[in-house]
Amino acid sequence: VSNLVRNKMKTVRKLKWMLVLMLLGWANLANARVYWKPQTGNDSNDGSTGNKAVKTWARALALLSTQADDQWIYLAEELTVSSTTTMDGAISGHANARIKRNNGNGSGGVYMIRVNSGVTLTLKNILIDGKRDSSTPYADDVRSMIVGSGNIVLDNGTILRDNWVKTEDDPYGGAVRLWDGGSLTMNA
């Protein structure tokens, strides 16, 4: 076999490997989100779709930490906080965790997070996005991001953004809605 043929064969092999590596990278980007269903998810799932959603915050965060910095956890059903909880979204070597509303939460839940009376939810190093943008029409089943009669603490590094508000006097809109003695503390 001539040197010319050998060189062409080497070039073809290199191109094949480059194509494989590119496809693997694109596949990783296509699945670069983690779906989280705190009520019905299963931590043995990979979180790649709503039907394969994980159950716990720890599992969602662990899956997110294996991906690139611009990835999201999609909250696909309402999270009910019934015991004092801290959700720290710090990921070593990556940007902080980001949670995005998954189109009405997919389960009829109108809120993203509900904090029960007598408990405290502390959010730290986390961005929560209500997914309100000009390309998404307002849905009647979408309300505040965080609600409840418990105590909500927004600690260092916490950002709440892009929430739904139907009208200026909508009592169910806004990032946080409290009732029956609920409290909000914002730490610098």
Side-chain angles (χ1 to χ4, degrees):
V1 179
S2 74
N3 282 341
L4 180 61
V5 171
R6 274 192 213 114
N7 287 339
K8 284 186 179 187
M9 289 173 58
K10 284 182 184 178
T11 302
V12 168
R13 279 194 299 265
K14 286 179 185 177
L15 289 173
K16 283 182 187 179
W17 278 111
M18 287 174 57
L19 180 61
V20 166
L21 292 173
M22 285 175 36
L23 290 174
L24 287 174
W26 286 332
N28 190 32
L29 289 176
N31 292 325
R33 56 178 65 180
V34 176
Y35 287 87
W36 176 31
K37 289 186 175 180
Q39 298 170 35
T40 61
N42 185 325
D43 278 349
S44 64
N45 290 340
D46 65 8
S48 61
T49 67
N51 292 330
K52 296 179 181 178
V54 298
K55 185 173 183 74
T56 64
W57 168 248
R59 174 74 169 138
L61 198 60
L63 288 171
L64 193 70
S65 71
T66 65
Q67 300 180 12
D69 281 342
D70 61 345
Q71 309 316 311
W72 290 88
I73 294 172
Y74 279 78
L75 182 58
E77 63 189 12
E78 186 175 291
L79 166 65
T80 299
V81 179
S82 55
S83 62
T84 295
T85 303
T86 297
M87 291 175 59
D88 189 341
I91 303 172
S92 180
H94 290 276
N96 291 343
R98 301 183 307 170
I99 299 174
K100 188 172 276 200
R101 185 188 303 268
N102 186 51
N103 291 341
N105 289 347
S107 67
V110 296
Y111 306 111
M112 292 177 73
I113 302 171
R114 180 183 302 269
V115 182
N116 288 345
S117 179
V119 301
T120 299
L121 169 64
T122 301
L123 298 171
K124 186 176 183 177
N125 300 312
I126 193 167
L127 182 150
I128 301 178
D129 189 315
K131 203 176 176 187
R132 173 69 171 127
D133 60 44
S134 59
S135 65
T136 308
Y138 179 84
D140 283 334
D141 71 338
V142 176
R143 299 276 193 258
S144 301
M145 288 189 266
I146 305 171
V147 299
S149 55
N151 306 305
I152 299 165
V153 178
L154 304 180
D155 215 337
N156 294 331
T158 300
I159 299 169
L160 306 178
R161 75 171 191 201
D162 294 338
N163 192 55
W164 295 78
V165 177
K166 189 173 185 178
T167 64
E168 288 181 17
D169 58 345
D170 181 3
Y172 303 107
V176 177
R177 180 172 179 244
L178 302 170
W179 56 77
D180 294 334
S183 70
L184 174 65
T185 304
M186 296 171 58
N187 296 327

